[in-house]
Amino acid sequence: MSAPAKSETPTMEKIVSLCKRRGFIFQSSEIYGGINGFWDYGPLGAELKRNLRDAWWRTMTREREDVVGLDATIIMHPAIWKASGHVDTFADPMVDCLVTNKRLRADQIEPQNGMVYRFTGATGSADTASSVPFAALAPTGKPRESALKTARAFYLARGLQDPEPLGGETGEKVEGTTAFNPENGAELTEPRMFNLMLKTHTGPVESDENVAYLRPETAQAIFAQYKNVVDSSRVKVPFGICQIGKAFRNEINPRNFTFRSREFEQMELEFFIKPDEAIEIISGSVAPWSEGADLTTPQPNWGWELWHRYWVAQRTAFYQSIGLGNVIHYYWQTKEELAHYARACVDILCEFPFGTEELEGIAARGDFDLSQHQKHAGKPLEFFDEELKTAAAALPPEALEAMVQRRLAAEQTKEKGALSEPEVRAWFERLAKGFYLPHVIEPSAGLDRMALAVIAKAFEQYEKIDPKGKSETITVLRLHPSIAPIKVGVFPLLKNKPELVAKAREVFQLLKGKLNTFYDESGAIGRRYARQDEIGTPFCVTIDFETLGETGPELADTVTVRQRDGATQERLKISELSAWLLARI
RNA sequence: GCGGGUGUAGUUCAAUGGUAGAACACGAGCUUCCCAAGCUUGAUACGUCAGUUCGAUUCUGAUCACCCGCUCCA
């Protein structure tokens, strides 16, 4: 029997369904109907996420000697968000056009002059009518008819046929108004604040004085604790501080499963480097970047550009190690897109079923963040560089002056944020004494996005015709073994043979402390393999009658090892099993 | 935030103004069973709140959630 071909379910839906069915990702608070923008990780998702988090932490700090970790609170002093600019830029007054429903930023509307016509409602054909008032602006030079046309569109959108607006025979003159859409003169809604930071209050009383924010990014904690880390950890520039933790953004429109959610986990590194001028004083010159430059080992004469490229290469290697090598892409932000304090920013994108979207941003941010905190907190955050001081003392004054002149010329070409000559000279004076605010390279990745990316990349479904001619859908999650939630499944071939079960339990006990191991005895062996395929387990071990020595002593204490990819099998001695498996994850 | 669509079992889907059904999945049992075999058997669902009605999973409204398109994404 052949059922009519069902319309192809989009891949994303299948992934969401698998995630729920197998316990990777659940909707938060699901038994109460769910809550928009929040997701929970089930047993397998928690393991997967932990594996990714651990892999990041291991490569970013434990395997390096120039990066240390930090674990800061989610709620911090509100002044931090003032200094970072989040209080101002995260709270935008927004208005909506009543005709087109377009959303505009209230503070970006050009003030207009003209005549405002106020309508009290409208009547239309086919007994349609409306008593909703509406106002429209006819800008100076435009006739009343233009306001009337907008009003008709307004009432048309509310279900009236051939609407004829009522009232509004005479207009009132206005100047410098921002209450109307410059495009069509339509009335706008009252400005509403859209603050992307989640707010709470500390202490027992809710008042404006004790407002606190849930951090919208983990980076600021690193800058805020930068001095404590420097003072306590014997680090020397260049060095980094990394952190993994929850961050919160009150997204207007969370979308695409866990890709954009309101509570998410970030993995950020702030890597502090010497300003290029300091490199020049110490090393004589800054090494230039060019295509094909050797980025494997950091060099003392690297400036920000080589460090930036270095971290892009490091992060690329990381994505390769978790199996995303061939689905990542790069987007270099253009000068126009860059924030004024950033020198360069590359987005690492990944192919998702819903499009190619950002997984990580690697920004070269200069000293903006530390300087902001130094200013707002009123505490010096400069780093004292002994080597720089010594080198600067040996530098001829003309050489330093030449650098000042070059910098002054560079400042003049800046469109905004340019430093004045006294500011530049003061900065160089501190530099010559060995003091500077380190510049920052910031690789900032989203853990939840990464988890979604590896699941989406690993997800594979195909149709298989079984020997009876029945077609079935096979689902395999081809996760990289290093991040798979379960590394190995252990099965007795049959569960009603106590000797097989006992041996299988023995093998399970042997492996479970070393690898995340799953014991399963229910269902046919093929079904058990399929179950593990679906959750991405790379290896399965089956204890059969050969293991018990029934077919001869040479196969005694050997097991079948079945691999997910390729579905190949081989026999291994139990004594060699754990070493064999550990070498492959 | 706007517009459109969808909410029934763990999943994918039926049916119905009066008792909700299947397939797969899941649990127990039988089976020398290596890639979702078979047999027996069991548990499990109308998103939420109102309204209309003698009676609502079904009709209406609101709300919540998800999907698609716009918008937004420091």
Side-chain angles (χ1 to χ4, degrees), chain A residues 22-342:
Chain A
R22 289 310 203 180
F24 280 95
I25 298 169
F26 306 130
Q27 198 176 11
S28 170
S29 321
E30 198 193 86
I31 61 166
Y32 287 100
I35 174 164
N36 192 324
F38 296 88
W39 301 92
D40 292 343
Y41 289 82
L44 294 177
E47 290 289 342
L48 173 68
K49 203 173 154 183
R50 183 170 296 271
N51 289 344
L52 286 169
R53 190 193 284 119
D54 288 350
W56 189 92
W57 191 262
R58 202 170 54 240
T59 55
M60 295 304 259
T61 169
R62 292 203 171 156
E63 288 176 359
R64 304 183 61 98
E65 45 184 326
D66 56 357
V67 177
V68 294
L70 180 73
D71 188 349
T73 56
I74 287 167
I75 292 173
M76 297 188 280
H77 196 291
I80 284 181
W81 307 112
K82 192 78 193 152
S84 69
H86 284 86
V87 170
D88 298 326
T89 57
F90 261 53
D92 298 329
M94 304 291 277
V95 292
D96 295 327
C97 171
L98 287 173
V99 170
T100 61
N101 284 322
K102 267 213 169 152
R103 174 157 301 155
L104 308 162
R105 276 186 55 172
D107 55 346
Q108 288 180 352
I109 294 172
E110 286 287 312
Q112 305 175 86
N113 304 329
M115 300 291 278
V116 172
Y117 295 90
R118 297 189 184 280
F119 305 97
T120 56
T123 54
S125 62
D127 272 343
T128 53
S130 172
S131 57
V132 180
F134 178 73
L137 177 81
T140 309
K142 291 263 185 86
R144 174 175 174 272
E145 184 59 28
S146 87
L148 205 57
K149 192 177 146 201
T150 300
R152 283 201 191 98
F154 173 82
Y155 290 109
L156 199 62
R158 268 146 197 81
L160 272 66
Q161 295 173 22
D162 304 319
E164 200 42 56
L166 305 171
E169 284 81 7
T170 55
E172 53 189 273
K173 201 172 166 168
V174 291
E175 280 181 19
T177 178
T178 56
F180 299 90
N181 187 345
E183 267 179 39
N184 57 11
E187 192 179 355
L188 298 167
T189 58
E190 287 292 306
R192 282 174 294 185
M193 294 303 275
F194 282 81
N195 196 325
L196 291 201
M197 281 200 289
L198 277 120
K199 232 188 242 183
T200 186
H201 296 85
T202 53
V205 185
E206 281 192 21
S207 72
D208 286 348
E209 276 90 70
N210 60 16
V211 163
Y213 300 99
L214 307 191
R215 62 184 177 197
E217 61 171 39
T218 57
Q220 294 306 320
I222 295 178
F223 297 123
Q225 289 294 10
Y226 154 84
K227 193 165 171 17
N228 273 333
V229 174
V230 169
D231 292 347
S232 63
S233 310
R234 303 181 52 235
V235 286
K236 273 201 276 186
V237 176
F239 76 98
I241 305 174
C242 68
Q243 174 167 232
I244 299 176
K246 287 290 182 78
F248 302 81
R249 288 177 202 180
N250 204 3
E251 295 288 351
I252 292 166
N253 193 1
R255 272 291 166 92
N256 291 331
F257 201 26
T258 56
F259 184 81
R260 174 168 294 120
S261 45
R262 291 190 165 125
E263 174 174 342
F264 56 101
E265 200 159 346
Q266 282 190 313
M267 305 190 288
E268 293 193 303
L269 166 69
E270 303 300 332
F271 195 81
F272 300 97
I273 57 173
K274 298 175 210 257
D276 280 9
E277 288 85 350
I279 300 287
E280 195 174 336
I281 292 171
I282 295 167
S283 301
S285 67
V286 175
W289 176 81
S290 63
E291 202 70 52
D294 182 6
L295 295 170
T296 48
T297 315
Q299 300 299 323
N301 62 347
W302 278 10
W304 70 265
E305 198 169 10
L306 271 160
W307 273 111
H308 186 229
R309 298 278 176 169
Y310 166 80
W311 277 109
V312 173
Q314 289 290 304
R315 298 302 303 145
T316 299
F318 176 83
Y319 285 109
Q320 269 155 6
S321 77
I322 59 170
L324 293 180
N326 54 356
V327 281
I328 61 167
H329 301 270
Y330 304 88
Y331 178 74
W332 288 81
Q333 289 189 12
T334 62
K335 264 206 152 58
E336 293 72 42
E337 289 169 314
L338 287 173
H340 72 274
Y341 49 78

Side-chain angles (χ1 to χ4, degrees), chain A residues 250-557:
Chain A
N250 204 3
E251 295 288 351
I252 292 166
N253 193 1
R255 272 291 166 92
N256 291 331
F257 201 26
T258 56
F259 184 81
R260 174 168 294 120
S261 45
R262 291 190 165 125
E263 174 174 342
F264 56 101
E265 200 159 346
Q266 282 190 313
M267 305 190 288
E268 293 193 303
L269 166 69
E270 303 300 332
F271 195 81
F272 300 97
I273 57 173
K274 298 175 210 257
D276 280 9
E277 288 85 350
I279 300 287
E280 195 174 336
I281 292 171
I282 295 167
S283 301
S285 67
V286 175
W289 176 81
S290 63
E291 202 70 52
D294 182 6
L295 295 170
T296 48
T297 315
Q299 300 299 323
N301 62 347
W302 278 10
W304 70 265
E305 198 169 10
L306 271 160
W307 273 111
H308 186 229
R309 298 278 176 169
Y310 166 80
W311 277 109
V312 173
Q314 289 290 304
R315 298 302 303 145
T316 299
F318 176 83
Y319 285 109
Q320 269 155 6
S321 77
I322 59 170
L324 293 180
N326 54 356
V327 281
I328 61 167
H329 301 270
Y330 304 88
Y331 178 74
W332 288 81
Q333 289 189 12
T334 62
K335 264 206 152 58
E336 293 72 42
E337 289 169 314
L338 287 173
H340 72 274
Y341 49 78
R343 289 169 161 166
C345 185
V346 58
D347 293 336
I348 295 186
L349 314 166
C350 181
E351 293 168 24
F352 288 93
F354 45 80
T356 300
E357 298 280 354
E358 185 181 348
L359 213 51
E360 170 162 354
I362 305 174
R365 292 171 67 88
D367 63 4
F368 175 76
D369 300 278
L370 284 178
S371 70
Q372 284 294 104
H373 287 299
Q374 177 168 272
K375 195 166 93 192
H376 282 77
K379 304 266 179 7
L381 297 176
E382 284 174 320
F383 183 82
F384 173 63
D385 192 322
E386 187 95 47
E387 193 188 8
L388 172 64
K389 187 189 172 189
T390 312
L395 198 70
E398 325 69 90
L400 191 66
E401 179 57 27
M403 288 174 68
V404 172
Q405 291 303 327
R406 248 190 298 142
R407 175 66 181 268
L408 283 171
E411 290 294 329
Q412 279 180 358
T413 65
K414 283 189 187 172
E415 280 176 22
K416 46 185 175 178
L419 296 178
S420 65
E421 178 164 349
E423 284 172 319
V424 170
R425 291 199 176 276
W427 187 82
F428 270 97
E429 208 169 295
R430 291 297 289 166
L431 191 73
K433 288 176 181 158
F435 292 98
Y436 56 79
L437 285 176
H439 288 208
V440 166
I441 307 293
E442 178 193 78
S444 166
L447 176 53
D448 305 86
R449 290 178 174 193
M450 205 181 282
L452 184 60
V454 296
I455 290 172
K457 164 70 172 58
F459 183 83
E460 190 180 311
Q461 269 190 342
Y462 58 94
E463 294 298 314
K464 198 181 88 173
I465 313 291
D466 70 9
K468 295 188 184 72
K470 230 167 57 181
S471 168
E472 56 189 343
T473 305
I474 304 293
T475 305
V476 186
L477 221 44
R478 300 202 189 277
L479 293 171
H480 193 282
S482 67
I483 53 162
I486 293 172
K487 310 297 188 200
V488 54
V490 176
F491 318 137
L493 183 61
L494 299 174
K495 74 166 163 178
N496 58 352
K497 291 289 169 277
E499 316 84 66
L500 286 177
V501 170
K503 199 74 185 172
R505 296 293 306 174
E506 213 177 279
V507 172
F508 173 61
Q509 294 297 335
L510 176 79
L511 295 177
K512 81 171 162 71
K514 300 178 181 132
L515 296 150
N516 202 11
T517 308
F518 185 77
Y519 175 82
D520 192 2
E521 59 179 29
S522 92
I525 192 74
R527 173 184 300 272
R528 282 177 266 165
Y529 287 150
R531 283 200 279 242
Q532 294 306 312
D533 280 352
E534 221 177 33
I535 61 171
T537 306
F539 305 104
C540 292
V541 170
T542 300
I543 283 72
D544 49 30
F545 294 101
E546 281 84 354
T547 314
L548 302 177
E550 285 193 7
T551 58
E554 64 283 354
L555 287 181
D557 284 323

